[in-house]
Amino acid sequence: KFVDDRLKIIDKYNELGYRDARLIKDSIIKNDDNTIDLVMKVDEGPKYYFGSINWVGNTIYPSAFLSQELGIKKGDVYNIKDLEKNITYNPNGTDVSALYQDNGYLFSRIIPIETRISNDSIDVEMRVREGKVAVINKVTIAGNTRTNDHVALREMRTRPGQLYSREKLVRTMRELGQLKYFNQEKIQPDMVPNEDNGTVDINWKVEETSSDQIELSGGWGYGRLIGTLGLTFNNFSSRNLFNLGAYRPVPTGDGQKVSLRLQSYGAGYVSYSASFMEPWLGGKRPNAFSLSYTNSAFTDRKSTRLNSSHAN
């Protein structure tokens, strides 16, 4: 841990503008009371600031616009870590690569080169290699053991024939996670670029997780205990009702939702409901179709039985 911490100290100096900071020596001193002292001698060096930032090789976007998106200006503390983050990927804001990556330029590269150091200022030249646009060739998915391919593929924003877009790639990851069929932390796109013919294959890797829900609760009402039991199957498959091999424990895989609910405090009151929803009626567009049925039966103290049912 001490070895790792030494590197972290220098990294922190670099982030604060001390580009030349280095650890001259370190030592571990053993004490008589069974403790140790850690001693480090650091040469901080001078503190640097950004000088001029020039762009070379950019034809699609003007230099002034790229500098604005970069978010670093002359006179800022020299922080190579922030510079690289604002070039490649900044989760908290914009980055220059997104301008190219979101418009098909998958093969674009931006390389910062220090060109001049004068006193405490460092001039940087941003060398841009735009490359050719990339078209999505194949899109596949692997790891879905219960969910059918078409359920996941219909949610994807990255489709064959479209220009590559990093924004759509990130959006697809988010929407696959929102299905709740897959472990969000395990959703990963495996990119297979081919710069020679300007294409990219995207192989999505997922890991199934349980999305079904069980509700079991109790409450006090009408002077007695009321119990509720509910079951929700979020990845149901109605077309496999007669396929015994698809039961896990119910037929799954088509992204339909079935809910069953029962509430009662005994013979005096029973209420049950059932609902079904198909989010992609027809399979081509997200047109939701739903059916629901509710029935309630209540017996008062005079033994009068009241029934109520409702269907949609």
Side-chain angles (χ1 to χ4, degrees):
K1 290 183 179 180
F2 182 43
V3 173
D4 293 339
D5 286 345
R6 291 182 305 179
L7 298 176
K8 291 178 182 178
I9 288 174
I10 300 303
D11 287 343
K12 190 62 180 180
Y13 268 110
N14 295 158
E15 291 178 18
L16 297 175
Y18 296 93
R19 167 186 174 273
D20 300 332
R22 60 193 181 98
L23 184 65
I24 298 176
K25 68 176 183 179
D26 63 83
S27 58
I28 301 175
I29 302 174
K30 298 180 180 179
N31 301 318
D32 294 336
D33 59 353
N34 201 32
T35 63
I36 59 172
D37 295 332
L38 305 178
V39 181
M40 290 172 282
K41 186 175 182 180
V42 178
D43 179 12
E44 295 179 338
K47 186 172 184 177
Y48 290 97
Y49 301 86
F50 279 102
S52 61
I53 300 177
N54 300 310
W55 298 84
V56 177
N58 53 304
T59 62
I60 301 171
Y61 300 103
S63 298
F65 178 68
L66 292 176
S67 293
Q68 179 181 347
E69 292 298 307
L70 182 65
I72 295 175
K73 60 184 182 299
K74 185 176 182 179
D76 287 348
V77 173
Y78 189 79
N79 185 339
I80 190 66
K81 187 175 181 180
D82 277 352
L83 178 64
E84 293 175 348
K85 182 172 63 176
N86 289 6
I87 291 173
T88 56
Y89 183 70
N90 187 344
N92 299 319
T94 59
D95 55 84
V96 179
S97 290
L99 296 173
Y100 289 95
Q101 299 274 325
D102 291 345
N103 288 283
Y105 291 90
L106 171 64
F107 309 111
S108 62
R109 298 291 184 273
I110 302 172
I111 303 173
I113 303 294
E114 296 178 354
T115 56
R116 182 172 177 268
I117 300 177
S118 176
N119 297 323
D120 62 350
S121 294
I122 300 178
D123 295 342
V124 179
E125 184 176 88
M126 311 293 287
R127 298 180 182 178
V128 182
R129 179 183 178 274
E130 295 175 335
K132 62 176 71 173
V133 295
V135 177
I136 298 174
N137 182 37
K138 295 180 181 179
V139 178
T140 58
I141 186 169
N144 49 319
T145 56
R146 293 194 299 269
T147 305
N148 294 320
D149 286 359
H150 72 272
V151 174
L153 293 174
R154 70 191 183 190
E155 299 290 338
M156 293 186 179
R157 304 289 175 171
T158 56
R159 301 188 178 183
Q162 295 180 342
L163 287 179
Y164 169 81
S165 170
R166 191 179 76 181
E167 186 275 332
K168 290 184 178 180
L169 198 75
V170 174
R171 186 174 177 182
T172 297
M173 293 178 63
R174 183 171 61 250
E175 294 188 357
L176 285 176
Q178 289 174 350
L179 290 176
K180 298 182 180 179
Y181 306 152
F182 311 117
N183 185 341
Q184 296 189 32
E185 296 180 356
K186 299 293 184 179
I187 300 174
Q188 292 293 334
D190 182 15
M191 311 281 291
V192 185
N194 188 329
E195 192 168 0
D196 292 335
N197 60 16
T199 63
V200 58
D201 295 340
I202 304 176
N203 304 318
W204 288 94
K205 296 181 179 180
V206 299
E207 180 182 281
E208 294 273 7
T209 187
S210 177
S211 60
D212 299 330
Q213 297 173 316
I214 298 177
E215 176 191 3
L216 183 61
S217 62
W220 187 261
Y222 300 103
R224 62 190 73 186
L225 182 67
I226 300 177
T228 302
L229 173 64
L231 297 173
T232 300
F233 304 100
N234 288 303
N235 196 5
F236 191 74
S237 176
S238 60
R239 66 189 178 97
N240 285 318
L241 279 174
F242 302 104
N243 180 8
L244 297 180
Y247 278 70
R248 303 177 182 178
V250 296
T252 61
D254 282 338
Q256 299 163 345
K257 181 177 180 179
V258 170
S259 295
L260 305 172
R261 198 165 187 268
L262 172 66
Q263 189 176 65
S264 176
Y265 58 64
Y269 172 72
V270 177
S271 176
Y272 55 88
S273 63
S275 65
F276 168 84
M277 187 184 73
E278 165 59 75
W280 284 72
L281 184 63
K284 295 183 179 180
R285 294 183 179 181
N287 297 318
F289 171 77
S290 62
L291 292 171
S292 63
Y293 176 81
T294 302
N295 186 83
S296 299
F298 176 75
T299 302
D300 61 12
R301 296 179 179 178
K302 297 180 180 179
S303 300
T304 301
R305 187 171 183 82
L306 303 175
N307 290 282
S308 175
S309 62
H310 180 70
N312 287 325

